[in-house]
Amino acid sequence: MPHESIETIISAYFTNIAAMNPEGWVENFAEDAMSHDPVGEPPTKVHEGYREFIGQLQAFFEKLESSTEHIFVAGNEAAVKWTMHGVSKRGKSVTFEGITVFEINAAGKIQTTRAYWNPANMVAQLRS
């Protein structure tokens, strides 16, 4: 798969997270896709848990903006260094960052994500 195609699907993934758009976000994934977000937590089947994931974002955030600082593509995988900036429903600004590894299938859909980040840092910012 061309690097540009992988970068396009990754860009759509982050754009739809920032927009808190569940339908647009899930369109990026294969039907049997799995998400390890964050790594260390039980993986979720994206098409079964996507509304809950986006719903959590919608419950806490008024606004989200994402930036992908680096996308490293190798074969059908990519590692992405990212930063999210958000404003909570209570007006609190938060910033959190991590690295997500994407596996893209032959159909150009995300098959697996493995996100390395610490949600506790984000929660601490929301509570302070």
Side-chain angles (χ1 to χ4, degrees):
M1 172 164 297
H3 284 197
E4 297 80 22
S5 297
I6 292 173
E7 290 176 3
T8 297
I9 194 86
I10 290 169
S11 176
Y13 169 93
F14 284 104
T15 297
N16 283 295
I17 284 181
M20 294 179 270
N21 175 4
E23 288 78 19
W25 184 74
V26 80
E27 285 177 11
N28 299 298
F29 288 90
E31 285 297 320
D32 60 346
M34 297 295 290
S35 178
H36 304 259
D37 191 352
V39 169
E41 293 294 320
T44 58
K45 294 179 180 179
V46 173
H47 284 269
E48 291 178 13
Y50 78 96
R51 288 195 185 279
E52 179 181 328
F53 173 73
I54 297 293
Q56 289 173 348
L57 295 177
Q58 292 169 331
F60 287 102
F61 291 102
E62 186 67 37
K63 180 180 178 183
L64 281 174
E65 294 178 1
S66 66
S67 63
T68 54
E69 293 146 32
H70 300 287
I71 301 175
F72 303 95
V73 178
N76 68 329
E77 296 188 29
V80 180
K81 168 65 175 84
W82 53 265
T83 301
M84 296 289 281
H85 301 282
V87 177
S88 75
K89 298 270 186 182
R90 297 185 342 211
K92 186 79 175 159
S93 292
V94 298
T95 300
F96 49 102
E97 59 188 354
I99 295 171
T100 300
V101 177
F102 295 85
E103 178 188 356
I104 311 299
N105 68 19
K109 299 287 187 175
I110 299 168
Q111 189 65 53
T112 307
T113 62
R114 298 183 66 79
Y116 298 85
W117 68 293
N118 186 349
N121 289 340
M122 177 192 64
V123 171
Q125 290 178 62
L126 288 169
R127 289 183 178 163
S128 66

